[in-house]
Amino acid sequence: MSMKNQGLALAGVAAAMLLSPTAIAGDDVRYIVKYQQGKGQAVRAQVQSEKGKVKLDLPGHRAMAVSLTPGALKAMQNHPHVEYVEEDVKRYLLSESTPFGIPMVQADQLSDAAAGNTKVCIIDSGYDGGHEDLLQGAVVAGTNDPGTGNWNTDENGHGTHVAGTIAGIGGNGKGVVGVLPSGNLNLHIIKVFGADGWAYSSGLVAALDACKAAKGSENMVINMSLGGDRKSRTEERAFNQADSEGILSIAAAGNDGNTRHSYPASYSSVVSVAAIDSNKMIADFSQQTDQVELAGPGVAVLSTVPMGSASVASLSVAGSPVDASGMEGSPNGSISGDLVDCGLGESACANAAGKVCLISRGNIAFSDKVLACEAGGGVGAIVYNNEPGMLFGTLGGVATSIPSVGISDTDGAALLGQLGATASIDVTADNYAYFNGTSMATPHVVGVAALVWSHHSECSNSDIRSALVATAEDLGTAGRDNAYGHGLVQAKAASDHLASNGCGGGDTGGGGGGGNGGGKGKPNR
Ligand code: CA
């Protein structure tokens, strides 16, 4: 199965594809040579006579970094003026990555220092309260639910991913950054989904009540990365009521790739959010309706998942790295073996004992392909795509015992020309993953709404909504359309617009003025 569309607005899990550093084959190995007092010149001469190269002098440490061939190492170790030789091991930049969506919505152009005046209520599957890159403590609270358990655990992973997009901690050298990365935003977590990822409409109404109960003097934005295709009168009235009480509700347009309305997104009192990719193109799964109002980044969005619940995979063949994604559900492990062609992997792979199986996608489940590799004695499995692009796969909960990864169609074709070469697969646990969905677009818009509101706390929910609509970057056909709505949400532009025009001074077309709900469903220019 592909990354797209796995029912409702609860997008499925895509595997992590963070790349880990891989050694470059063919380099001489670098060493640090420590020499005796006053013997630097003699040792340098020895390095040169062994056809090595001095890469860096550290005279204050009586040491030099050198590159040596394997044969020269022994000679240097035995040199009378050398105290010791050690490998010059690699050090990597410890950093956090900024997901592409953060600058795309201008979140990096607007300070969130004042966000303590704003609260986001996330109605989802919970929140990993132990996550290294998520807020803890006073700014985060939640409501436990007798049906789904404690708000600060997340058996599904979806809610933790949403939370990271809104408020992943910035500047801590770990993971990601959210739209509001400074830890000032208040979060309230309502857990309506357990591991299976569905809830009743009545549960959503109760969750909305719980959000309202958690609202103090702060302005509140509600994130609903969820939905279903049937309306509820009770729900609609509840969201209309919340709107009239000054709460801004934002929901996912839906992932079914059709033109049907999804709810709650398609109530007029709720902002409906479409998903675009890093090229600002509409995602094929994003539902296109006359209710779509704004678009946000929602394809291959990197964010937090419960600690250790994701995997990061790396693959190298003949010493060269190949982009790979860990199969969701793959056991962790680090293996090497000769690459063997197992075709479609529909039966036990012949000649695979001790080897790494190269298997084409198609006909049967990924788990059956991995099991066919195991049955032939294979130690690891690589499944390549049979359509353009990277393969992100899942084992669907089937137990397998060897590490498995997905790769692109083009890399698959290239590896078919490298049969017999040594392939190394490494799959390790990780705390971050790439997800797709209007579920991932929604928290970008929610975060931007909260960020903009924090700068203009005197404005109403509909003022903020109007400003987001008026300043969205128009995408697709000129003016509003059903795919992108008014376009990509823009934090800085919306805040500047309010600063210039005042809360109610929007030029949103139609009736303008207050209470127009952002001109939902109507062109704004
Ligand atoms: Ca971080």
Side-chain angles (χ1 to χ4, degrees):
M1 82 186 197
S2 72
M3 278 173 93
K4 63 174 250 191
N5 180 20
Q6 298 171 29
L8 291 183
L10 286 165
V13 174
M17 52 184 187
L18 292 171
L19 297 174
S20 52
T22 307
I24 298 164
D27 276 3
D28 282 355
V29 180
R30 260 177 80 140
Y31 297 93
I32 296 174
V33 179
K34 169 84 169 175
Y35 49 83
Q36 293 169 343
Q37 187 72 43
K39 301 299 182 186
Q41 285 301 340
V43 170
R44 175 184 296 268
Q46 182 66 30
V47 169
Q48 283 159 354
S49 78
E50 297 287 348
K51 307 238 186 310
K53 289 199 182 76
V54 176
K55 299 289 195 181
L56 183 66
D57 263 319
L58 299 168
H61 303 270
R62 281 194 283 120
M64 61 183 78
V66 302
S67 63
L68 296 173
T69 61
L73 174 60
K74 197 122 225 158
M76 292 309 301
Q77 285 170 326
N78 292 336
H79 193 279
H81 298 312
V82 169
E83 292 186 10
Y84 61 82
V85 180
E86 66 174 352
E87 188 180 344
D88 193 1
V89 295
K90 289 180 179 172
R91 294 289 179 260
Y92 298 97
L93 182 67
L94 295 178
S95 66
E96 58 191 7
S97 53
T98 300
F100 77 85
I102 301 302
M104 188 181 270
V105 300
Q106 299 183 328
D108 58 339
Q109 298 180 39
L110 203 56
S111 166
D112 66 340
N117 62 13
T118 311
K119 182 175 281 185
V120 169
C121 192
I122 302 174
I123 302 175
D124 212 293
S125 63
Y127 182 91
D128 180 2
H131 201 285
E132 64 179 8
D133 207 21
L134 288 178
L135 303 175
Q136 316 292 343
V139 292
V140 189
T143 305
N144 290 331
D145 182 303
T148 57
N150 292 339
W151 63 268
N152 58 2
T153 66
D154 181 2
E155 291 72 26
N156 180 291
H158 189 269
T160 297
H161 199 276
V162 164
T165 295
I166 295 171
I169 299 169
N172 61 349
K174 292 175 186 169
V176 292
V177 299
V179 173
L180 299 107
S182 300
N184 296 308
L185 179 70
N186 299 286
L187 290 180
H188 193 85
I189 310 297
I190 312 284
K191 184 174 180 174
V192 295
F193 299 113
D196 55 359
W198 66 274
Y200 284 107
S201 170
S202 57
L204 181 56
V205 173
L208 174 58
D209 287 343
C211 289
K212 286 159 68 169
K215 181 180 168 342
S217 58
E218 320 92 348
N219 290 315
M220 177 173 276
V221 185
I222 297 181
N223 189 107
M224 292 176 288
S225 291
L226 54 87
D229 62 6
R230 291 178 57 194
K231 257 178 116 153
S232 154
R233 289 170 65 183
T234 310
E235 227 177 51
E236 180 165 28
R237 288 177 184 192
F239 283 107
N240 288 349
Q241 177 70 22
D243 184 41
S244 70
E245 292 168 8
I247 289 173
L248 181 53
S249 299
I250 301 178
N255 293 343
D256 285 341
N258 57 24
T259 55
R260 295 189 64 170
H261 288 134
S262 181
Y263 301 93
S266 296
Y267 301 129
S268 62
S269 53
V270 177
V271 177
S272 177
V273 178
I276 58 175
D277 65 17
S278 60
N279 296 315
K280 301 182 182 174
M281 294 298 295
I282 192 72
D284 58 1
F285 55 75
S286 192
Q287 284 170 233
Q288 304 191 14
T289 77
D290 60 3
Q291 285 286 323
V292 171
E293 187 161 327
L294 292 167
V299 177
V301 174
L302 180 63
S303 187
T304 48
V305 293
M307 293 288 283
S309 67
S311 66
V312 55
S314 66
L315 167 66
S316 69
V317 177
S320 298
V322 178
D323 281 348
S325 69
M327 285 280 178
E328 188 198 348
S330 165
N332 296 327
S334 189
I335 58 89
S336 287
D338 293 350
L339 195 60
V340 60
D341 181 9
C342 294
L344 281 162
E346 295 181 285
S347 58
C349 184
N351 305 317
K355 297 182 179 175
V356 173
C357 304
L358 180 63
I359 310 170
S360 172
R361 177 185 184 179
N363 293 1
I364 60 171
F366 297 137
S367 55
D368 289 334
K369 293 174 186 287
V370 174
L371 290 171
C373 175
E374 283 185 37
V379 295
I382 304 166
V383 181
Y384 59 92
N385 213 343
N386 60 359
E387 59 183 40
M390 180 63 125
L391 186 153
F392 297 91
T394 175
L395 299 175
V398 175
T400 59
S401 59
I402 60 174
S404 53
V405 297
I407 63 172
S408 71
D409 55 327
T410 48
D411 282 336
L415 294 193
L416 284 170
Q418 291 183 272
L419 299 175
T422 300
S424 300
I425 296 174
D426 185 67
V427 178
T428 53
D430 197 31
N431 312 320
Y432 306 89
Y434 292 86
F435 284 11
N436 292 316
T438 51
S439 283
M440 283 63 246
T442 301
H444 283 97
V445 174
V446 165
V448 167
L451 181 57
V452 171
W453 212 346
S454 75
H455 284 259
H456 304 279
S457 62
E458 72 285 5
C459 297
S460 72
N461 57 339
S462 48
D463 293 335
I464 299 301
R465 184 173 177 175
S466 297
L468 297 181
V469 164
T471 59
E473 179 186 340
D474 191 15
L475 297 173
T477 55
R480 194 207 160 274
D481 60 78
N482 286 355
Y484 302 88
H486 295 276
L488 172 62
V489 73
Q490 298 284 274
K492 177 72 160 50
S495 185
D496 289 350
H497 178 84
L498 289 165
S500 299
N501 301 309
C503 290
D507 54 352
T508 56
N516 70 348
K520 189 171 179 88
K522 301 186 192 81
N524 74 322
R525 55 177 78 85

